[in-house]
Amino acid sequence: MWSSVEAPGPFTLGREGDLAIDDNPYLHRTFLLIRWDQFWWLDNIGSQLAATLSDGGGIMHSWFAPGATLPLLFATTEVRFTAGPTNYALSLHVEGAPMAVAGTVLSGSGLTTLRPVSLTLNQKQLVLALAEAALLGPGNTATTIPSSALAAKRLGWKLTKFNRQLDAVCQKLDRAGVRGLLGSQDQLASGRRARLVEYALAVRLVSADDLPLLDEWLDDDGIDGTIE
């Protein structure tokens, strides 16, 4: 579904508003606001939910917390957020965008370039199990993130192994500068599965081409294999 926004706005998105995204009780009545002031701007006017923003190619990203404001500088800005068990994906398109993706971004824009992160096979499988529904249906704007128990079952792992690998992935990404995966005093944040999926999809950490990895296994001697 497409909606056009006329300057100067504002145009609101949420459970209600100019664009009613979904009748989800976990979603704010008005969550995001688009307005024109020399640039098109996006405001997070919710009180609880954060979002992950990235350019269309997944090269740059921003952690978009409540109260944050960001100029829409690129032709395409991808917006991902989670309300309750549901992950949402929106695409914002700007005609005559003032910037193209290059090696740098406008100072103070809130966008950051990415540090390369290398995942082990088990870590990548974990991310794929959580993001599988979104990767299988890239045209869907809303998908459900599986529980840890369901994701562990999909992989044929014990829940203890899944949680151990989830801890490792979140800590690795936090060290690389990814926000929202660890809470205060280095405690793992609640909702980290949702944040992990948002980030992984936003920056193309995994793709549909990686889904066959879900059927690979690693034995106790560290040898890769494939489930026939």
Side-chain angles (χ1 to χ4, degrees):
M1 180 178 67
W2 289 88
S3 296
S4 297
V5 181
E6 300 293 334
F11 185 90
T12 57
L13 304 87
R15 194 168 77 244
E16 301 173 1
D18 298 305
L19 176 60
I21 299 171
D22 192 9
D23 186 20
N24 180 344
Y26 295 97
L27 182 61
H28 294 306
R29 285 187 172 85
T30 52
F31 172 41
L32 302 174
L33 182 146
I34 300 171
R35 59 186 171 85
W36 172 265
D37 182 6
Q38 298 184 349
F39 300 105
W40 283 108
W41 293 81
L42 183 67
D43 301 333
N44 183 341
I45 57 175
S47 60
Q48 299 292 328
L49 301 180
T52 300
L53 273 58
S54 64
D55 68 279
I59 297 174
M60 300 173 185
H61 83 290
S62 175
W63 169 243
F64 201 56
T69 296
L70 195 72
L72 300 176
L73 301 175
F74 304 117
T76 301
T77 299
E78 304 291 344
V79 183
R80 297 184 180 275
F81 59 93
T82 303
T86 307
N87 178 264
Y88 297 90
L90 304 174
S91 185
L92 306 180
H93 298 262
V94 177
E95 293 184 1
M99 293 187 67
V101 178
T104 59
V105 295
L106 183 67
S107 175
S109 68
L111 290 162
T112 57
T113 53
L114 305 176
R115 304 177 189 176
V117 175
S118 176
L119 300 180
T120 67
L121 175 59
N122 279 339
Q123 291 170 353
K124 198 159 194 175
Q125 287 174 317
L126 179 142
V127 176
L128 286 166
L130 292 173
E132 184 177 18
L135 292 171
L136 286 173
N140 294 338
T141 59
T143 52
T144 300
I145 297 174
S147 66
S148 294
L150 285 175
K153 183 178 180 180
R154 171 68 177 91
L155 293 165
W157 295 356
K158 293 181 179 179
L159 184 57
T160 52
K161 176 178 178 178
F162 181 90
N163 288 331
R164 184 172 65 250
Q165 292 296 327
L166 180 58
D167 291 348
V169 171
C170 290
Q171 290 165 355
K172 177 179 286 188
L173 292 176
D174 178 77
R175 289 194 296 270
V178 181
R179 298 177 59 189
L181 294 172
L182 293 185
S184 60
Q185 298 179 348
D186 293 336
Q187 296 299 308
L188 292 164
S190 61
R192 56 185 174 147
R193 286 181 294 109
R195 169 60 177 147
L196 178 58
V197 170
E198 290 174 16
Y199 175 79
L201 296 176
V203 305
R204 314 303 194 262
L205 190 62
V206 293
S207 70
D209 293 338
D210 297 317
L211 287 173
L213 292 176
L214 285 171
D215 296 320
E216 291 190 6
W217 52 270
L218 193 68
D219 69 15
D220 292 337
D221 295 322
I223 300 173
D224 291 343
T226 301
I227 299 174
E228 299 294 343

